[in-house]
mmCIF file of all heavy atoms in Angstrom:
data_model
loop_
_atom_site.group_PDB
_atom_site.id
_atom_site.type_symbol
_atom_site.label_atom_id
_atom_site.label_comp_id
_atom_site.label_asym_id
_atom_site.label_seq_id
_atom_site.Cartn_x
_atom_site.Cartn_y
_atom_site.Cartn_z
ATOM 1 N N TRP A 764 83.597 128.903 92.181
ATOM 2 C CA TRP A 764 82.696 129.642 91.326
ATOM 3 C C TRP A 764 81.412 128.900 91.195
ATOM 4 O O TRP A 764 81.389 127.630 91.160
ATOM 5 C CB TRP A 764 83.322 129.879 89.977
ATOM 6 C CG TRP A 764 82.484 130.741 89.051
ATOM 7 C CD1 TRP A 764 82.176 132.039 89.231
ATOM 8 C CD2 TRP A 764 81.817 130.319 87.852
ATOM 9 N NE1 TRP A 764 81.378 132.516 88.232
ATOM 10 C CE2 TRP A 764 81.140 131.456 87.332
ATOM 11 C CE3 TRP A 764 81.740 129.145 87.132
ATOM 12 C CZ2 TRP A 764 80.398 131.421 86.172
ATOM 13 C CZ3 TRP A 764 81.018 129.088 85.966
ATOM 14 C CH2 TRP A 764 80.358 130.254 85.483
ATOM 15 N N PHE A 765 80.267 129.610 91.141
ATOM 16 C CA PHE A 765 78.986 128.994 91.036
ATOM 17 C C PHE A 765 78.367 129.359 89.663
ATOM 18 O O PHE A 765 78.185 130.528 89.347
ATOM 19 C CB PHE A 765 78.060 129.449 92.165
ATOM 20 C CG PHE A 765 78.417 128.925 93.501
ATOM 21 C CD1 PHE A 765 79.447 129.562 94.249
ATOM 22 C CD2 PHE A 765 77.867 127.771 94.012
ATOM 23 C CE1 PHE A 765 79.813 129.075 95.482
ATOM 24 C CE2 PHE A 765 78.245 127.276 95.253
ATOM 25 C CZ PHE A 765 79.223 127.937 95.988
ATOM 26 N N ARG A 766 78.084 128.320 88.890
ATOM 27 C CA ARG A 766 77.593 128.523 87.528
ATOM 28 C C ARG A 766 76.189 129.103 87.512
ATOM 29 O O ARG A 766 75.811 129.847 86.631
ATOM 30 C CB ARG A 766 77.636 127.178 86.789
ATOM 31 C CG ARG A 766 77.344 127.283 85.306
ATOM 32 C CD ARG A 766 77.540 125.906 84.673
ATOM 33 N NE ARG A 766 78.886 125.410 84.853
ATOM 34 C CZ ARG A 766 79.943 125.761 84.149
ATOM 35 N NH1 ARG A 766 79.779 126.621 83.112
ATOM 36 N NH2 ARG A 766 81.153 125.289 84.366
ATOM 37 N N HIS A 767 75.379 128.731 88.516
ATOM 38 C CA HIS A 767 73.967 129.130 88.563
ATOM 39 C C HIS A 767 73.756 130.351 89.451
ATOM 40 O O HIS A 767 74.253 130.367 90.618
ATOM 41 C CB HIS A 767 73.103 127.964 89.040
ATOM 42 C CG HIS A 767 73.188 126.762 88.182
ATOM 43 N ND1 HIS A 767 72.628 126.681 86.926
ATOM 44 C CD2 HIS A 767 73.817 125.543 88.381
ATOM 45 C CE1 HIS A 767 72.879 125.504 86.377
ATOM 46 N NE2 HIS A 767 73.606 124.775 87.256
ATOM 47 N N SER A 768 73.016 131.332 88.987
ATOM 48 C CA SER A 768 72.667 132.467 89.805
ATOM 49 C C SER A 768 71.575 132.106 90.797
ATOM 50 O O SER A 768 71.549 132.645 91.930
ATOM 51 C CB SER A 768 72.191 133.621 88.919
ATOM 52 O OG SER A 768 73.157 133.999 87.961
ATOM 53 N N VAL A 769 70.667 131.245 90.399
ATOM 54 C CA VAL A 769 69.569 130.811 91.237
ATOM 55 C C VAL A 769 69.602 129.302 91.317
ATOM 56 O O VAL A 769 69.610 128.585 90.285
ATOM 57 C CB VAL A 769 68.192 131.264 90.659
ATOM 58 C CG1 VAL A 769 67.056 130.768 91.558
ATOM 59 C CG2 VAL A 769 68.165 132.793 90.570
ATOM 60 N N ILE A 770 69.649 128.782 92.536
ATOM 61 C CA ILE A 770 69.721 127.354 92.780
ATOM 62 C C ILE A 770 68.405 126.877 93.397
ATOM 63 O O ILE A 770 67.965 127.391 94.451
ATOM 64 C CB ILE A 770 70.892 127.014 93.771
ATOM 65 C CG1 ILE A 770 72.200 127.387 93.108
ATOM 66 C CG2 ILE A 770 70.834 125.566 94.170
ATOM 67 C CD1 ILE A 770 73.387 127.322 94.070
ATOM 68 N N HIS A 771 67.754 125.957 92.728
ATOM 69 C CA HIS A 771 66.468 125.466 93.200
ATOM 70 C C HIS A 771 66.731 124.254 94.116
ATOM 71 O O HIS A 771 66.850 123.110 93.644
ATOM 72 C CB HIS A 771 65.529 125.136 92.046
ATOM 73 C CG HIS A 771 65.194 126.308 91.205
ATOM 74 N ND1 HIS A 771 64.267 127.256 91.571
ATOM 75 C CD2 HIS A 771 65.744 126.745 90.013
ATOM 76 C CE1 HIS A 771 64.197 128.198 90.661
ATOM 77 N NE2 HIS A 771 65.071 127.939 89.718
ATOM 78 N N ASP A 772 66.872 124.494 95.372
ATOM 79 C CA ASP A 772 67.180 123.472 96.356
ATOM 80 C C ASP A 772 66.478 123.823 97.659
ATOM 81 O O ASP A 772 67.090 124.379 98.583
ATOM 82 C CB ASP A 772 68.712 123.429 96.547
ATOM 83 C CG ASP A 772 69.173 122.192 97.285
ATOM 84 O OD1 ASP A 772 68.408 121.686 98.112
ATOM 85 O OD2 ASP A 772 70.313 121.716 97.050
ATOM 86 N N PRO A 773 65.178 123.531 97.776
ATOM 87 C CA PRO A 773 64.419 123.928 98.999
ATOM 88 C C PRO A 773 64.992 123.427 100.292
ATOM 89 O O PRO A 773 64.983 124.144 101.302
ATOM 90 C CB PRO A 773 63.012 123.335 98.750
ATOM 91 C CG PRO A 773 62.934 123.219 97.235
ATOM 92 C CD PRO A 773 64.312 122.861 96.787
ATOM 93 N N GLU A 774 65.523 122.227 100.301
ATOM 94 C CA GLU A 774 66.085 121.656 101.541
ATOM 95 C C GLU A 774 67.320 122.447 101.984
ATOM 96 O O GLU A 774 67.452 122.755 103.180
ATOM 97 C CB GLU A 774 66.429 120.168 101.293
ATOM 98 C CG GLU A 774 66.933 119.442 102.531
ATOM 99 C CD GLU A 774 68.476 119.447 102.596
ATOM 100 O OE1 GLU A 774 69.098 119.619 101.543
ATOM 101 O OE2 GLU A 774 68.999 119.254 103.711
ATOM 102 N N LEU A 775 68.156 122.814 101.025
ATOM 103 C CA LEU A 775 69.352 123.581 101.361
ATOM 104 C C LEU A 775 68.976 125.034 101.743
ATOM 105 O O LEU A 775 69.621 125.631 102.590
ATOM 106 C CB LEU A 775 70.322 123.591 100.163
ATOM 107 C CG LEU A 775 71.786 123.916 100.503
ATOM 108 C CD1 LEU A 775 72.361 122.976 101.555
ATOM 109 C CD2 LEU A 775 72.625 123.862 99.205
ATOM 110 N N ALA A 776 67.921 125.577 101.078
ATOM 111 C CA ALA A 776 67.505 126.919 101.446
ATOM 112 C C ALA A 776 66.974 126.944 102.883
ATOM 113 O O ALA A 776 67.252 127.907 103.624
ATOM 114 C CB ALA A 776 66.376 127.390 100.491
ATOM 115 N N LEU A 777 66.255 125.913 103.328
ATOM 116 C CA LEU A 777 65.809 125.836 104.684
ATOM 117 C C LEU A 777 66.959 125.726 105.668
ATOM 118 O O LEU A 777 66.985 126.338 106.724
ATOM 119 C CB LEU A 777 64.832 124.676 104.849
ATOM 120 C CG LEU A 777 64.269 124.450 106.242
ATOM 121 C CD1 LEU A 777 63.491 125.656 106.706
ATOM 122 C CD2 LEU A 777 63.373 123.175 106.254
ATOM 123 N N THR A 778 67.977 124.964 105.249
ATOM 124 C CA THR A 778 69.188 124.838 106.060
ATOM 125 C C THR A 778 69.858 126.193 106.261
ATOM 126 O O THR A 778 70.332 126.529 107.349
ATOM 127 C CB THR A 778 70.169 123.855 105.435
ATOM 128 O OG1 THR A 778 69.550 122.563 105.283
ATOM 129 C CG2 THR A 778 71.404 123.660 106.265
ATOM 130 N N LEU A 779 69.924 126.975 105.194
ATOM 131 C CA LEU A 779 70.527 128.328 105.282
ATOM 132 C C LEU A 779 69.685 129.220 106.221
ATOM 133 O O LEU A 779 70.274 129.962 107.043
ATOM 134 C CB LEU A 779 70.624 128.946 103.915
ATOM 135 C CG LEU A 779 71.142 130.406 103.863
ATOM 136 C CD1 LEU A 779 72.447 130.578 104.589
ATOM 137 C CD2 LEU A 779 71.279 130.886 102.413
ATOM 138 N N ALA A 780 68.385 129.126 106.117
ATOM 139 C CA ALA A 780 67.542 129.941 107.012
ATOM 140 C C ALA A 780 67.783 129.569 108.474
ATOM 141 O O ALA A 780 67.853 130.445 109.350
ATOM 142 C CB ALA A 780 66.071 129.764 106.653
ATOM 143 N N ARG A 781 67.895 128.287 108.762
ATOM 144 C CA ARG A 781 68.166 127.836 110.126
ATOM 145 C C ARG A 781 69.566 128.269 110.592
ATOM 146 O O ARG A 781 69.743 128.578 111.760
ATOM 147 C CB ARG A 781 68.013 126.320 110.185
ATOM 148 C CG ARG A 781 66.534 125.842 110.080
ATOM 149 C CD ARG A 781 66.442 124.354 109.940
ATOM 150 N NE ARG A 781 65.046 123.923 109.967
ATOM 151 C CZ ARG A 781 64.642 122.680 109.618
ATOM 152 N NH1 ARG A 781 65.549 121.800 109.213
ATOM 153 N NH2 ARG A 781 63.360 122.364 109.661
#
Side-chain angles (χ1 to χ4, degrees):
W764 184 66
F765 291 83
R766 188 174 302 277
H767 300 287
S768 304
V769 178
I770 296 170
H771 298 282
D772 193 331
E774 184 265 339
L775 199 57
L777 180 59
T778 301
L779 175 53
R781 289 172 174 166

